[in-house]
Amino acid sequence: QLQLVESGGGLVQAGGSLSLSCAASGGTFSTKGMGWFRQAPGKEREITACISRRDGITYYADSVKGRFTISRDNAKNMVYLQMNNLKPEDTAVYYCAATNYDSAIPPDYYAYWGPGTQVTVSS
């Protein structure tokens, strides 16, 4: 059973940067497409970025395109989300997730989830 744990959240001022990490264990990480989702209070969980399991093909939501970068290291069982030029509307709990598909956008396609890490961006 694949287990995921996020780290790196915190409080940052608008325009600042944060780097999130997700450590995977207990499964075959390299066979999973990986995604970063976020959920703000009163809103649905939404994808920010995902990366395919082998070719490293990436997808970004329009709201984060040009500001966020997803990457993965299959040798270390890690996936990362570099977030630059953060805005108050980026405030949310950020979740790392794994899918048995090469890549996917809808959260329902993801079978494995971390507990989440809070990101707060002050104006």
Side-chain angles (χ1 to χ4, degrees):
Q1 182 81 357
L2 189 70
Q3 294 184 324
L4 304 172
V5 178
E6 306 92 342
S7 61
L11 173 65
V12 64
Q13 288 189 332
S17 299
L18 279 176
S19 181
L20 303 184
S21 299
C22 175
S25 63
T28 310
F29 177 77
S30 63
T31 66
K32 304 293 189 284
M34 298 299 297
W36 283 97
F37 291 77
R38 67 186 182 187
Q39 188 167 18
K43 294 189 176 181
E44 292 187 353
R45 192 168 296 190
E46 62 176 5
I47 194 166
T48 61
C50 61
I51 187 167
S52 65
R53 55 194 172 193
R54 294 190 182 88
D55 297 330
I57 297 172
T58 57
Y59 163 87
Y60 296 95
D62 287 343
S63 58
V64 306
K65 200 172 292 183
R67 300 187 298 121
F68 289 14
T69 302
I70 188 171
S71 60
R72 67 187 295 164
D73 186 336
N74 286 348
K76 296 182 178 180
N77 290 355
M78 296 288 295
V79 63
Y80 308 97
L81 187 67
Q82 177 64 40
M83 305 185 294
N84 298 328
N85 189 23
L86 283 160
K87 304 175 180 181
E89 51 264 42
D90 294 319
T91 296
V93 177
Y94 282 71
Y95 299 90
C96 171
T99 176
N100 292 317
Y101 294 88
D102 185 48
S103 185
I105 295 173
D108 288 351
Y109 282 69
Y110 287 77
Y112 310 95
W113 292 84
T117 186
Q118 177 71 46
V119 171
T120 303
V121 184
S122 63
S123 57

